[in-house]
Amino acid sequence: MSDVAASKIPVTVLTGYLGAGKTTLLNRILSENHGKKYAVIVNEFGEIGIDNDLIIGADEEVFEMNNGCVCCTVRGDLVRILDGLMKRKGKFDAIILETTGLADPAPVAQTFFVDEDVREKTSLDAVVTVADAKWLSARLKDAPEAKNQIAFADVIVLNKTDLVSKAELAEVEARIRGINPYAKLHRTERCQVALNDVLDRKAFDLDRILEIEPEFLGESDHHDHDHDHDHDHHDHGHDHAHGHGHSHGGLKHYHDEDMKSLSLKTEKPLDANKFMPWLQALVASDGQSILRSKGILSFKDDDDRYVFQGVHMMIEGDHQREWKADEPRVSRLVFIGRELPEQKIRDGFEKCIA
Amino acid sequence: MTSFNSDNPASIVSVTDRVRKVELPQSATALHFLGDSAGFVGVENSISFANASGNVSTHEIHDGGILCTVSDGKRIVTGGDDGKLVTVDASGATETIASDAKRRWIDNVALHPDGAIAWSAGKTAFVRPTKGDEKSLDVVSTVGGLAFAPKGLRLAVAHYNGVTLWFPNMAAKPEVLEWKGSHLGVTFSDDNKFLVTTMHESALHGWRLADNRHMRMTGYPSRVRSMSWTADGKHLATSGADTVIVWPFTSKDGPMGKEPAMLAPLQAKVTVVACHPKNDILAAGYSNGMVLMVRMQDGAEILVRRNDDAPVSALAWNAKGSLLGFASENGDAGLLTL
Ligand SMILES: [Zn+2]
């Protein structure tokens, strides 16, 4: 897979709420002296100043798949545009797709799961979300799109940090982590971020799922220990729609009420014959609420690591490589979603242990 | 003509030594014959004409990539990502016949036998009749494909969730044939009785135009990108599987309740099909680079190009049926005289 992936054109999705600084980041990427040529797919064609040879206007046409499910969607315009761009392969090294501030990243990602021609010639590199440090907290309350974009992100560029106090910055970071503890987070002013922090991330490459583990592990361990606190909302009596915070040793910790992540872990080997049907049944029944999923799995009587990732109901997985001799065979799963059926997922996972 | 061998595939008849190699400056995505001159449409912005003696002349057509092409045998019409619609004749002379005001991509183009031209940019389909004013029609989504009906000035515009049938010279509201999903290519049967679309999913959809009855043609392992009607107009050959799938349209029900013929199976996907204009023969190109001629009647095969792992990207016959041309994604191209 890696050899083939190497020849594919990487596509970086640039998302973020209106005014967060997407265009600033885009122009930084394009103007930096990196010797690379980008094809840029933008919306609101012609309204923004982008200096690039190859700019294509997109319509963000979200098409439902024929299974009658509202979460199974693709970007019809993207299929067409990538097909057209591939006829000019060799004229550019990578593609950057900027979405509107109101866009849901899922249909873009799902296009790379289901469209054979798109998969053959391009690879989704990462979803990069630009967030406004000053206004994000407010947007998370009133704009479901903003929350989606944070939940979906592989990389979050927290911009305009010079416009907020230290306390406000800690507050907004805690809110981001309450939704998505796994994304790489970069604090910036005027989107001053190293380009290799946003480009060439290979966040959707199954072979690279290992390499996102530091974030994946570090914070999720912390998260796991904290998960047993009392969730009895009647005692709290606060507004659930806005999430709630509590402190652990001075670090503020938020749980967004409807969007959250769930991490599962076991050192006992899993039964592949139970796990795969369980995962498939889970995404079939609850895929609408699961935005993203990822996992590294250790199966009984199997010396290979199995890795998978998914967007809503679409899952792809593969045997990756042999477990190394000194490597603990630990299975880990992560789900990010809206109103995740947490107990159901935990119970189902327990039953997959061999 | 070389005789077909139907008994023993292992000793398949080969005409590969009779193929004349065509040296192209860039690999070709489409091929149209203007008389005996083969017009190879390049991946970038040019068309290369190869004449009978093997000379190649290349002409730049667009200030950008060529996205769509069509030909009536006298001219090639191309749409580009420079927003232009251009006609090209066999001498390579070009004429820009339309420029999109917003420089949008020209995604689709179709030609009527009487000379009318249709094209699309975004959600808008345009028709320029041979006489009278240019007309346009906006549909619900970006246009996936265009086709003129064989009779009258009637245009099929494929889009998300169906096809719009439009008489550009009539005031009547266009008719919409609905079927959920994204419709890309579109074609009328020669007798004007059936309309067939290729869908974004791996299936064809069809309508019997007398009563708009649906026809589902499914079972493909991958998307159908190439369709070609047989010389008698009664069968539709398609790509998308590891055999050529040929649907019968011989009865009033079209392919409904009938099995398609499955010809020339290989361990590779059919990428492009082209039916001979006069005889019961078709040519098929595969994802492994192989090109075969197949006799419809019994599936007998002749090898035209060996496999080399570069998918066949274009395949066409000249109008007389005396020349077969092909091109593959690695830039290789050839002509076979029958
Ligand atoms: Zn769904």
Side-chain angles (χ1 to χ4, degrees):
Chain A
M1 171 165 183
S2 294
D3 288 350
V4 183
S7 67
K8 293 183 183 183
I9 302 277
V11 180
T12 300
V13 178
L14 206 54
T15 179
Y17 213 68
L18 299 165
K22 263 178 305 179
T23 308
T24 311
L25 180 57
L26 184 54
N27 275 324
R28 271 185 43 73
I29 293 170
L30 297 176
S31 61
E32 198 134 311
N33 190 16
H34 39 51
K36 283 195 173 178
K37 279 194 174 154
Y38 293 94
V40 180
I41 304 170
V42 293
N43 273 274
E44 296 127 12
F45 184 47
E47 289 172 29
I48 36 176
I50 295 167
D51 187 22
N52 196 52
D53 287 343
L54 203 49
I55 299 181
I56 306 102
D59 298 312
E60 294 201 348
E61 292 182 322
V62 176
F63 291 172
E64 281 176 26
M65 309 277 299
N66 252 8
N67 61 1
C69 174
V70 293
C71 77
C72 295
T73 52
V74 297
R75 278 273 302 269
D77 60 317
L78 195 56
V79 172
R80 176 182 63 92
I81 288 168
L82 291 178
D83 187 47
L85 273 176
M86 283 309 119
K87 291 184 176 164
R88 306 189 71 189
K89 216 175 167 179
K91 294 272 178 190
F92 53 89
D93 307 294
I95 297 169
I96 300 172
L97 167 67
E98 187 196 37
T99 71
T100 60
L102 299 175
D104 175 3
V108 177
Q110 291 180 120
T111 304
F112 288 83
F113 275 74
V114 299
D115 191 281
E116 57 185 287
D117 296 319
V118 168
R119 287 180 72 100
E120 199 176 309
K121 289 177 173 145
T122 60
S123 66
L124 179 55
D125 189 64
V127 175
V128 177
T129 299
V130 184
D132 182 325
K134 191 161 179 66
W135 295 109
L136 182 69
S137 296
R139 292 296 82 77
L140 291 178
K141 289 173 194 166
D142 65 17
E145 300 87 359
K147 202 179 270 186
N148 264 344
Q149 292 162 359
I150 294 293
F152 216 92
D154 299 292
V155 177
I156 296 169
V157 177
L158 186 56
N159 194 31
K160 306 191 187 179
T161 53
D162 50 330
L163 302 182
V164 295
S165 68
K166 267 193 173 161
E168 287 173 305
L169 188 59
E171 163 92 13
V172 71
E173 281 189 18
R175 288 197 182 275
I176 289 171
R177 288 311 189 195
I179 294 168
N180 182 346
Y182 307 105
K184 295 262 183 197
L185 193 150
H186 303 281
R187 303 169 185 177
T188 66
E189 298 168 19
R190 288 170 297 284
C191 290
Q192 302 272 3
V193 60
L195 292 194
N196 57 12
D197 283 335
V198 289
L199 298 174
D200 207 19
R201 304 302 309 165
K202 297 192 170 66
F204 284 84
D205 187 340
L206 281 175
D207 280 345
R208 288 278 294 263
I209 280 186
L210 171 71
E211 296 182 30
I212 56 167
E213 271 185 83
E215 228 91 6
F216 199 94
L217 255 183
E219 299 221 25
S220 68
D221 272 358
H222 172 66
H223 209 77
D224 269 352
H225 299 309
D226 291 342
H227 245 290
D228 293 327
H229 67 263
D230 188 7
H231 260 291
D232 188 347
H233 297 165
H234 299 290
D235 292 344
H236 289 23
H238 56 65
D239 187 351
H240 293 163
H242 296 173
H244 63 278
H246 48 238
S247 293
H248 297 280
L251 183 74
K252 212 165 190 186
H253 210 86
Y254 279 95
H255 289 269
D256 192 274
E257 284 299 322
D258 63 355
M259 189 79 81
K260 64 177 147 196
S261 64
L262 172 60
S263 83
L264 306 167
K265 182 172 149 184
T266 180
E267 277 151 33
K268 298 172 198 152
L270 297 170
D271 181 342
N273 294 324
K274 288 181 186 164
F275 179 84
M276 299 311 280
W278 168 72
L279 181 66
Q280 268 151 17
L282 176 68
V283 297
S285 66
D286 294 284
Q288 242 164 283
S289 37
I290 301 168
L291 265 67
R292 286 185 74 169
S293 56
K294 285 179 190 178
I296 298 171
L297 309 167
S298 166
F299 291 129
K300 190 171 180 286
D301 305 325
D302 188 345
D303 286 333
D304 283 347
R305 285 160 53 113
Y306 189 89
V307 292
F308 82 90
Q309 63 172 327
V311 172
H312 288 310
M313 297 179 179
M314 296 169 193
I315 293 274
E316 62 174 14
D318 210 346
H319 284 96
Q320 184 193 26
R321 60 161 172 81
E322 269 191 35
W323 289 97
K324 290 173 193 153
D326 58 346
E327 191 177 28
R329 297 193 179 190
V330 178
S331 294
R332 297 181 201 98
L333 271 81
V334 164
F335 297 93
I336 297 180
R338 199 180 287 278
E339 280 150 16
L340 287 176
E342 182 172 338
Q343 204 52 49
K344 176 182 171 184
I345 295 175
R346 287 186 184 281
D347 293 348
F349 180 64
E350 281 294 314
K351 293 197 181 103
C352 298
I353 291 170
Chain B
M1 180 164 179
T2 311
S3 65
F4 281 90
N5 181 338
S6 52
D7 328 311
N8 188 354
S11 63
I12 184 170
V13 175
S14 167
V15 293
T16 52
D17 57 340
R18 283 168 44 194
V19 171
R20 274 176 296 126
K21 190 170 167 54
V22 177
E23 297 290 346
L24 295 179
Q26 52 185 239
S27 55
T29 57
L31 167 60
H32 304 282
F33 278 93
L34 301 183
D36 290 345
S37 180
F40 291 88
V41 180
V43 284
E44 287 180 11
N45 57 359
S46 66
I47 294 181
S48 299
F49 287 103
N51 65 14
S53 55
N55 292 327
V56 175
S57 62
T58 297
H59 310 271
E60 283 202 7
I61 311 296
H62 286 271
D63 298 325
I66 297 173
L67 297 171
C68 54
T69 63
V70 69
S71 175
D72 56 7
K74 299 187 275 291
R75 57 182 174 165
I76 300 172
V77 184
T78 63
D81 66 12
D82 56 357
K84 290 191 174 130
L85 190 70
V86 176
T87 63
V88 190
D89 67 19
S91 75
T94 62
E95 185 193 349
T96 299
I97 48 175
S99 295
D100 188 74
K102 294 182 220 156
R103 211 175 184 270
R104 290 176 299 178
W105 288 12
I106 308 297
D107 294 313
N108 298 283
V109 58
L111 270 175
H112 192 277
D114 80 357
I117 300 177
W119 68 95
S120 73
K123 294 175 184 172
T124 309
F126 300 87
V127 169
R128 183 171 297 174
T130 44
K131 29 185 187 300
D133 293 336
E134 189 176 303
K135 307 239 174 30
S136 70
L137 175 75
D138 283 2
V139 293
V140 292
S141 74
T142 298
V143 175
L146 296 171
F148 277 109
K151 286 178 203 132
L153 191 66
R154 188 185 205 193
L155 185 71
V157 183
H159 46 73
Y160 184 46
N161 287 346
V163 178
T164 297
L165 293 175
W166 176 39
F167 287 100
N169 284 342
M170 292 190 194
K173 197 165 172 274
E175 180 185 5
V176 178
L177 305 177
E178 288 184 12
W179 185 258
K180 204 166 167 354
S182 186
H183 298 262
L184 301 172
V186 57
T187 181
F188 283 90
S189 64
D190 281 354
D191 59 11
N192 210 12
K193 286 183 176 155
F194 302 99
L195 183 77
V196 179
T197 63
T198 60
M199 299 198 63
H200 179 251
E201 62 204 89
S202 304
L204 302 181
H205 195 79
W207 289 266
R208 183 167 68 185
L209 293 172
D211 56 3
N212 292 352
R213 194 181 145 190
H214 292 287
M215 304 183 293
R216 297 186 66 188
M217 288 162 270
T218 57
Y220 290 90
S222 65
R223 193 195 299 171
V224 180
R225 296 204 140 216
S226 177
M227 298 190 279
S228 177
W229 291 96
T230 53
D232 64 3
K234 295 290 182 196
H235 295 82
L236 183 64
T238 61
S239 70
D242 56 4
T243 77
V244 181
I245 305 284
V246 185
W247 296 96
F249 286 77
T250 42
S251 79
K252 67 175 174 41
D253 292 334
M256 287 303 86
K258 297 187 181 67
E259 290 293 317
M262 292 185 268
L263 302 174
L266 281 189
Q267 305 275 21
K269 191 176 77 178
V270 178
T271 52
V272 52
V273 288
C275 292
H276 190 279
K278 292 184 174 149
N279 300 325
D280 242 8
I281 296 166
L282 62 81
Y286 291 78
S287 58
N288 67 358
M290 205 179 267
V291 175
L292 295 175
M293 283 192 293
V294 187
R295 190 163 60 198
M296 311 272 297
Q297 190 192 347
D298 59 0
E301 300 159 10
I302 291 177
L303 180 67
V304 178
R305 183 178 190 269
R306 286 179 207 289
N307 54 314
D308 66 352
D309 283 338
V312 177
S313 54
L315 202 56
W317 300 88
N318 68 344
K320 287 183 287 186
S322 58
L323 282 168
L324 173 66
F326 62 80
S328 74
E329 283 185 15
N330 64 359
D332 191 33
L335 289 169
L336 172 69
T337 306
L338 296 174

